[in-house]
PDB file of all heavy atoms in Angstrom:
ATOM      1  N   GLY U  11      96.821 108.079  92.739  1.00  0.00           N
ATOM      2  CA  GLY U  11      96.047 107.752  93.934  1.00  0.00           C
ATOM      3  C   GLY U  11      94.564 108.012  93.738  1.00  0.00           C
ATOM      4  O   GLY U  11      93.712 107.209  94.145  1.00  0.00           O
ATOM      5  N   HIS U  49      59.758 100.124  93.184  1.00  0.00           N
ATOM      6  CA  HIS U  49      58.691  99.468  92.434  1.00  0.00           C
ATOM      7  C   HIS U  49      58.344  98.116  93.058  1.00  0.00           C
ATOM      8  O   HIS U  49      59.126  97.562  93.839  1.00  0.00           O
ATOM      9  CB  HIS U  49      59.103  99.281  90.967  1.00  0.00           C
ATOM     10  CG  HIS U  49      59.356 100.575  90.254  1.00  0.00           C
ATOM     11  ND1 HIS U  49      60.615 101.072  90.038  1.00  0.00           N
ATOM     12  CD2 HIS U  49      58.501 101.491  89.727  1.00  0.00           C
ATOM     13  CE1 HIS U  49      60.553 102.228  89.391  1.00  0.00           C
ATOM     14  NE2 HIS U  49      59.260 102.502  89.196  1.00  0.00           N
ATOM     15  N   GLU U  50      57.213  97.594  92.661  1.00  0.00           N
ATOM     16  CA  GLU U  50      56.774  96.292  93.167  1.00  0.00           C
ATOM     17  C   GLU U  50      57.638  95.187  92.578  1.00  0.00           C
ATOM     18  O   GLU U  50      57.998  95.217  91.390  1.00  0.00           O
ATOM     19  CB  GLU U  50      55.304  96.043  92.809  1.00  0.00           C
ATOM     20  CG  GLU U  50      54.322  96.904  93.581  1.00  0.00           C
ATOM     21  CD  GLU U  50      54.284  96.536  95.063  1.00  0.00           C
ATOM     22  OE1 GLU U  50      54.471  95.348  95.375  1.00  0.00           O
ATOM     23  OE2 GLU U  50      54.075  97.440  95.890  1.00  0.00           O
ATOM     24  N   ILE U  60      65.467  91.420  99.917  1.00  0.00           N
ATOM     25  CA  ILE U  60      66.383  92.518  99.558  1.00  0.00           C
ATOM     26  C   ILE U  60      66.401  93.594 100.629  1.00  0.00           C
ATOM     27  O   ILE U  60      67.467  93.993 101.116  1.00  0.00           O
ATOM     28  CB  ILE U  60      65.988  93.120  98.194  1.00  0.00           C
ATOM     29  CG1 ILE U  60      66.179  92.112  97.065  1.00  0.00           C
ATOM     30  CG2 ILE U  60      66.810  94.383  97.917  1.00  0.00           C
ATOM     31  CD1 ILE U  60      67.602  91.664  96.847  1.00  0.00           C
ATOM     32  N   MET U  61      65.208  94.080 101.012  1.00  0.00           N
ATOM     33  CA  MET U  61      65.127  95.247 101.885  1.00  0.00           C
ATOM     34  C   MET U  61      65.397  94.941 103.357  1.00  0.00           C
ATOM     35  O   MET U  61      65.860  95.803 104.096  1.00  0.00           O
ATOM     36  CB  MET U  61      63.748  95.910 101.743  1.00  0.00           C
ATOM     37  CG  MET U  61      63.454  96.416 100.336  1.00  0.00           C
ATOM     38  SD  MET U  61      64.714  97.554  99.687  1.00  0.00           S
ATOM     39  CE  MET U  61      64.538  98.930 100.832  1.00  0.00           C
ATOM     40  N   MET U  84      95.462 103.834 111.255  1.00  0.00           N
ATOM     41  CA  MET U  84      95.853 104.847 112.243  1.00  0.00           C
ATOM     42  C   MET U  84      96.760 104.254 113.311  1.00  0.00           C
ATOM     43  O   MET U  84      97.762 104.872 113.707  1.00  0.00           O
ATOM     44  CB  MET U  84      94.605 105.461 112.883  1.00  0.00           C
ATOM     45  CG  MET U  84      93.807 106.347 111.957  1.00  0.00           C
ATOM     46  SD  MET U  84      92.521 107.286 112.812  1.00  0.00           S
ATOM     47  CE  MET U  84      91.432 105.970 113.350  1.00  0.00           C
ATOM     48  N   GLY U 108      81.854  91.036 127.803  1.00  0.00           N
ATOM     49  CA  GLY U 108      80.478  91.489 128.002  1.00  0.00           C
ATOM     50  C   GLY U 108      79.464  90.491 127.468  1.00  0.00           C
ATOM     51  O   GLY U 108      78.483  90.151 128.143  1.00  0.00           O
ATOM     52  N   SER U 121      69.885  92.858 133.240  1.00  0.00           N
ATOM     53  CA  SER U 121      68.975  93.655 134.064  1.00  0.00           C
ATOM     54  C   SER U 121      69.743  94.731 134.809  1.00  0.00           C
ATOM     55  O   SER U 121      70.789  94.462 135.413  1.00  0.00           O
ATOM     56  CB  SER U 121      68.245  92.763 135.075  1.00  0.00           C
ATOM     57  OG  SER U 121      67.467  91.784 134.412  1.00  0.00           O
ATOM     58  N   MET U 192      79.960  80.755 120.796  1.00  0.00           N
ATOM     59  CA  MET U 192      80.816  80.393 119.662  1.00  0.00           C
ATOM     60  C   MET U 192      80.256  80.947 118.355  1.00  0.00           C
ATOM     61  O   MET U 192      80.998  81.420 117.502  1.00  0.00           O
ATOM     62  CB  MET U 192      80.955  78.871 119.574  1.00  0.00           C
ATOM     63  CG  MET U 192      81.876  78.261 120.620  1.00  0.00           C
ATOM     64  SD  MET U 192      82.038  76.479 120.408  1.00  0.00           S
ATOM     65  CE  MET U 192      82.831  76.385 118.807  1.00  0.00           C
ATOM     66  N   MET U 204      67.421  96.306 109.448  1.00  0.00           N
ATOM     67  CA  MET U 204      67.280  97.562 108.709  1.00  0.00           C
ATOM     68  C   MET U 204      66.905  98.727 109.621  1.00  0.00           C
ATOM     69  O   MET U 204      67.375  99.848 109.421  1.00  0.00           O
ATOM     70  CB  MET U 204      66.212  97.399 107.609  1.00  0.00           C
ATOM     71  CG  MET U 204      66.233  98.506 106.573  1.00  0.00           C
ATOM     72  SD  MET U 204      67.793  98.491 105.655  1.00  0.00           S
ATOM     73  CE  MET U 204      67.630  99.950 104.651  1.00  0.00           C
ATOM     74  N   ASN U 229     100.266 112.482 109.157  1.00  0.00           N
ATOM     75  CA  ASN U 229     101.325 112.726 108.167  1.00  0.00           C
ATOM     76  C   ASN U 229     102.578 113.279 108.823  1.00  0.00           C
ATOM     77  O   ASN U 229     103.701 112.912 108.464  1.00  0.00           O
ATOM     78  CB  ASN U 229     100.825 113.707 107.102  1.00  0.00           C
ATOM     79  CG  ASN U 229     100.100 113.013 105.958  1.00  0.00           C
ATOM     80  OD1 ASN U 229     100.232 111.810 105.788  1.00  0.00           O
ATOM     81  ND2 ASN U 229      99.343 113.772 105.186  1.00  0.00           N
ATOM     82  N   LEU U 241     106.913 121.093 115.074  1.00  0.00           N
ATOM     83  CA  LEU U 241     105.987 121.773 114.170  1.00  0.00           C
ATOM     84  C   LEU U 241     104.674 122.141 114.857  1.00  0.00           C
ATOM     85  O   LEU U 241     103.745 122.608 114.208  1.00  0.00           O
ATOM     86  CB  LEU U 241     105.690 120.887 112.951  1.00  0.00           C
ATOM     87  CG  LEU U 241     106.873 120.667 111.990  1.00  0.00           C
ATOM     88  CD1 LEU U 241     106.482 119.688 110.896  1.00  0.00           C
ATOM     89  CD2 LEU U 241     107.327 121.989 111.380  1.00  0.00           C
ATOM     90  N   VAL U 303      85.584  97.198 100.192  1.00  0.00           N
ATOM     91  CA  VAL U 303      85.686  96.205  99.112  1.00  0.00           C
ATOM     92  C   VAL U 303      85.944  94.814  99.672  1.00  0.00           C
ATOM     93  O   VAL U 303      85.267  93.837  99.309  1.00  0.00           O
ATOM     94  CB  VAL U 303      86.810  96.603  98.121  1.00  0.00           C
ATOM     95  CG1 VAL U 303      87.138  95.448  97.182  1.00  0.00           C
ATOM     96  CG2 VAL U 303      86.396  97.818  97.317  1.00  0.00           C
TER      97      VAL U 303
END
Side-chain angles (χ1 to χ4, degrees):
H49 298 100
E50 289 292 327
I60 294 297
M61 299 305 296
M84 290 190 294
S121 299
M192 285 182 64
M204 195 64 185
N229 273 343
L241 292 175
V303 167

